[in-house]
Amino acid sequence: MDVDEVMPAIEESEELPPAPEAFIPGTHVLGKDEILEPDDSVYIMRHSMNVTWPCLSFDVLRDSLGDERQRYPATAYLVAGTQADQASKNELSVFKMSSLHRTQKDGDDSDSDEEDDDALDEDAILEFRSVPHHGGVNRVRAQPLPPASPLPPASQPYFTATWADNGKVHIWDIRPLIESLDVPGYSWDKSRTNKPAFTINSHGRAEGFAMDWASSGNANPSSLRLLTGDVHSKIYLTTTTPSGFNALSQPFTSHTSSVEDLQWSPSEPTVFASCSADCSVQIWDVRSKGRRSVAGIEPAHESDVNVISWNRSTSYLLLSGGDEGGIKVWDLRNVQKKGTTVLPSPVASFKWHTAPITSIEWHPTEDSIFAASGADDQVTLWDLGVEPDDDEMGTSMNDTPDGARDIPPQLLFVHQGQKDVKEVHWHPQIPGAVLSTALDGFNIFKTISV
């Protein structure tokens, strides 16, 4: 008997598998056994890297590999501090991320003429050098180096400041650690790296998170200024002289609660901004007597103002991110001096994030673009230059399907997949590249949107 007479022919199903659906936070909820899968067609590069201990804060380090880099595989350097389970286990680490290849997409023609190192689908390499750091690191900031300037030679310092959770601010020379990552067999003087070059004790035992460097425009270490703010509402200034660092003893005191973030003005060397858990943003001039702010936005948000960023290209624009999840853009030309009762209105305001904003940063060269991160596990990219176009959309921007969220047209991209994102930075030498740190390590990515 022929088998075909017993077994009916199996018809191939013409049904296609369901098309993947974009996960929109606030509209969709992950099911019990569901996980998010990245859509690599929208990433030019995407890598994730795990570390031994989570890092609350990091900063991107300048390197000598050139500006405006477009080629892959890419390399990036950063400095970060740990949050270990015991104070004695903490470290300050310099990381080198290399073999950051372009993302391979489904359907890429492997026989194309453009086959080169760009398209290799290899794992990235993460190397690091560490020095002991007593206490958890609340925030890390590296000294600014002038745009287009190379890394200082190994004999010169490259300073990084750390805000420790025991109330001390340490300044470290990390230049030998970078050299060790680049030069095989290089041994560095541990007396230079394993102890701080300077420690600021002005804050007593009050810990803090707010910190920002400024430079007079060259790589000379004696041109540096460092601001630090603590949970007891005080801000201190540390300056440099040819003989070293000088911590000034008189604090700036206009806030009434914890100082959360600080930003030097990119255009006026004596002016800086601060934000606080007292819901305000304050503007200061270090020359003003009495160490009081000269202008302010009170209140700037309905709850704690967690982070601010001052636009490097359009120096009257300031971003702020609040504990309520709101993001606001301020025109500082509208901010009145102290003593006036007129409260400025933000020139733009967004309520997309559903949890506190943890980090915010303007793009280093595109004055309308910024990145933000939130405790809702999102990293978002925005462009203020985008305006709604009802004709192109075919519908009003206000018409949204039942149960869906209204997506702001300025929201370019939502990056997900990390847990408890703490900080986000643009890479100043790789246009459009974004780095983020979270409970589960670092991400570095570049999207088709920026």
Side-chain angles (χ1 to χ4, degrees):
M1 184 172 61
D2 196 336
V3 174
D4 288 341
E5 295 177 16
V6 179
M7 301 290 292
I10 300 173
E11 295 183 8
E12 288 191 13
S13 170
E14 294 184 4
E15 290 185 18
L16 296 172
E21 186 180 2
F23 180 89
I24 300 175
T27 298
H28 302 115
V29 179
L30 277 182
K32 181 181 178 183
D33 297 321
E34 291 182 315
I35 59 170
L36 289 175
E37 285 286 346
D39 177 5
D40 279 333
S41 68
V42 297
Y43 288 96
I44 294 171
M45 171 187 69
R46 181 184 63 82
H47 296 278
S48 58
M49 303 184 187
N50 297 324
V51 289
T52 307
W53 297 109
C55 300
L56 279 182
S57 178
F58 74 99
D59 206 1
V60 181
L61 298 175
R62 273 204 72 85
D63 56 50
S64 299
L65 301 177
D67 291 341
E68 302 289 321
R69 306 204 290 266
Q70 303 285 353
R71 287 188 60 84
Y72 293 90
T75 298
Y77 297 80
L78 56 93
V79 60
T82 61
Q83 284 282 324
D85 60 354
Q86 296 177 21
S88 60
K89 292 182 179 179
N90 283 293
E91 295 177 326
L92 175 68
S93 300
V94 173
F95 293 93
K96 179 182 181 180
M97 299 175 169
S98 57
S99 293
L100 299 170
H101 287 277
R102 186 187 294 271
T103 299
Q104 280 203 331
K105 300 172 175 60
D106 292 339
D108 279 358
D109 184 1
S110 59
D111 296 326
S112 74
D113 294 336
E114 297 180 9
E115 185 72 23
D116 57 18
D117 287 347
D118 282 17
L120 289 174
D121 193 14
E122 292 183 0
D123 290 337
I125 298 171
L126 182 65
E127 303 166 89
F128 65 93
R129 298 289 185 269
S130 301
V131 294
H133 187 284
H134 187 72
V137 180
N138 290 346
R139 191 152 292 175
V140 176
R141 290 293 179 264
Q143 74 167 83
L145 292 173
S149 71
L151 194 64
S155 59
Q156 291 185 14
Y158 187 4
F159 290 120
T160 288
T162 58
W163 235 129
D165 60 11
N166 58 14
K168 296 188 183 302
V169 177
H170 301 297
I171 297 173
W172 310 78
D173 179 6
I174 60 167
R175 183 61 186 87
L177 304 182
I178 302 172
E179 193 74 4
S180 172
L181 287 165
D182 287 341
V183 179
Y186 177 85
S187 62
W188 67 90
D189 180 2
K190 289 189 175 180
S191 65
R192 178 179 166 189
T193 58
N194 286 31
K195 290 185 178 179
F198 188 76
T199 295
I200 301 166
N201 294 305
S202 311
H203 298 275
R205 294 191 176 184
E207 68 173 318
F209 294 85
M211 181 160 60
D212 196 35
W213 288 98
S215 170
S216 297
N218 58 47
N220 180 1
S222 66
S223 66
L224 295 171
R225 311 182 296 286
L226 178 66
L227 287 166
T228 51
D230 62 38
V231 296
H232 289 171
S233 76
K234 291 183 172 60
I235 300 168
Y236 287 91
L237 173 63
T238 298
T239 60
T240 47
T241 65
S243 59
F245 291 95
N246 178 31
L248 305 184
S249 59
Q250 187 182 1
F252 297 88
T253 55
S254 286
H255 283 298
T256 57
S257 188
S258 173
V259 180
E260 299 294 294
D261 204 3
L262 288 158
Q263 286 273 281
W264 283 103
S265 165
S267 58
E268 299 177 79
T270 62
V271 176
F272 69 91
S274 62
C275 67
S276 166
D278 63 14
C279 306
S280 77
V281 170
Q282 302 289 345
I283 309 296
W284 314 70
D285 192 318
V286 297
R287 298 168 299 183
S288 62
K289 293 180 180 179
R291 300 274 168 138
R292 308 288 291 181
S293 62
V294 295
I297 308 168
E298 304 174 31
H301 287 255
E302 61 201 53
S303 60
D304 302 14
V305 188
N306 294 335
V307 286
I308 51 174
S309 179
W310 206 318
N311 196 306
R312 302 274 163 207
S313 307
T314 305
S315 58
Y316 55 80
L317 291 179
L318 186 83
L319 274 168
S320 63
D323 220 43
E324 80 288 355
I327 294 170
K328 297 184 181 182
V329 186
W330 304 94
D331 185 335
L332 295 178
R333 296 173 298 183
N334 299 333
V335 177
Q336 304 295 318
K337 288 188 175 182
K338 282 295 180 74
T340 58
T341 56
V342 179
L343 178 67
S345 297
V347 294
S349 182
F350 304 103
K351 187 69 174 72
W352 172 262
H353 286 271
T354 58
I357 303 299
T358 57
S359 183
I360 204 160
E361 187 172 277
W362 287 107
H363 189 287
T365 55
E366 300 288 342
D367 66 355
S368 66
I369 295 175
F370 67 88
S373 66
D376 54 2
D377 302 338
Q378 296 184 62
V379 174
T380 51
L381 308 184
W382 302 76
D383 187 352
L384 299 178
V386 176
E387 296 181 0
D389 188 340
D390 285 359
D391 294 336
E392 186 176 319
M393 296 292 291
T395 59
S396 167
M397 289 303 294
N398 296 322
D399 295 341
T400 53
D402 291 341
R405 287 184 74 185
D406 190 2
I407 301 174
Q410 294 86 1
L411 178 57
L412 298 180
F413 200 93
V414 178
H415 174 77
Q416 297 175 92
Q418 286 183 286
K419 185 68 177 170
D420 203 9
V421 186
K422 291 297 185 185
E423 211 167 86
V424 60
H425 296 295
W426 299 93
H427 196 297
Q429 295 172 271
I430 307 176
V434 178
L435 297 96
S436 57
T437 185
L439 203 58
D440 47 7
F442 295 105
N443 276 193
I444 179 169
F445 62 93
K446 177 177 167 62
T447 75
I448 61 173
S449 302
V450 180

